[in-house]
Amino acid sequence: MNGLQIGVLVLLIGLLGLSVYFIRLKSRGHPLPTMVIAFLLTSSVCIGSVGYFVSYGEDYHAWRQLQWQPLHAKKIPALVDAGYVVIVDITSDWCSICQQNKANVWQREAVATRLHRSDIILMRADATEPDEAINAYLAQEGAHGFPYNKVYGAGVRTGIVLPREVTIADLEQALILQGI
């Protein structure tokens, strides 16, 4: 269920509740101004709910569609040779900058839409628990810690390292340099 569908469902439930509420108010003999104020307040909440779910629900829905696969560093050169752009994200649950990058970049609808292509492969490594393969990749890259994000492609075969605090503009620039 996407954000729009959730928003419409909330609106319909709110309108049903509003109808029941007005029937009860009328049966108790409440004056018209009280009913108008109640209507305006309730309808504002319902419309606000639709706006919320459409705005934020879509980002969440789009992010859920990204297909991250485990990091396989040895496969990256062959994938680049085959014409793919490979995006690497090394993250950790306890890393606050990693979580910020997820919220501000990786979980955004515009990014998910941009990355949802057959010629882009997303590889993610979770370093929440110690992992020798991740440590070996970071050592090979000369990287110290995470988050660590890199975009490989035909434009810059050795890859483009993104800043620790990634922005959508940083990612977009790297994709342009890689010919995407």
Side-chain angles (χ1 to χ4, degrees):
M1 188 176 266
N2 67 30
L4 179 60
Q5 291 168 330
I6 292 170
V8 169
L9 181 63
V10 168
L11 179 63
L12 291 174
I13 291 170
L15 291 174
L16 177 64
L18 184 61
S19 299
V20 170
Y21 180 69
F22 281 127
I23 290 169
R24 292 186 74 196
L25 278 179
K26 186 172 182 187
S27 69
R28 292 183 182 164
H30 283 280
L32 184 60
T34 302
M35 291 176 39
V36 169
I37 291 171
F39 172 77
L40 292 174
L41 288 174
T42 308
S43 60
S44 296
V45 169
C46 291
I47 291 169
S49 296
V50 170
Y52 171 81
F53 284 110
V54 168
S55 298
Y56 295 102
E58 288 300 321
D59 279 345
Y60 178 77
H61 179 70
W63 166 70
R64 304 268 306 152
Q65 293 179 14
L66 288 179
Q67 300 298 312
W68 291 93
Q69 56 183 268
L71 174 65
H72 295 288
K74 292 180 181 180
K75 292 183 179 180
I76 294 172
L79 290 168
V80 171
D81 287 343
Y84 291 98
V85 168
V86 179
I87 299 174
V88 173
D89 176 34
I90 299 181
T91 186
S92 174
D93 287 348
W94 51 263
C95 168
S96 62
I97 297 173
C98 299
Q99 301 311 313
Q100 177 182 318
N101 288 345
K102 285 179 186 175
N104 294 335
V105 178
W106 304 118
Q107 296 176 354
R108 291 288 159 203
E109 180 180 7
V111 171
T113 301
R114 180 82 162 99
L115 299 181
H116 195 75
R117 295 173 48 136
S118 61
D119 58 347
I120 295 179
I121 295 177
L122 306 171
M123 292 186 178
R124 179 173 275 164
D126 185 352
T128 301
E129 299 293 327
D131 185 305
E132 288 306 314
I134 295 172
N135 292 339
Y137 173 77
L138 290 172
Q140 171 191 327
E141 293 293 315
H144 304 286
F146 32 87
Y148 184 77
N149 296 281
K150 193 166 185 177
V151 180
Y152 297 88
V156 181
R157 299 184 66 73
T158 56
I160 300 165
V161 178
L162 298 176
R164 289 177 68 89
E165 293 184 33
V166 180
T167 66
I168 294 174
D170 295 327
L171 177 61
E172 185 65 32
Q173 183 62 34
L175 292 171
I176 290 169
L177 290 172
Q178 294 297 11
I180 297 253

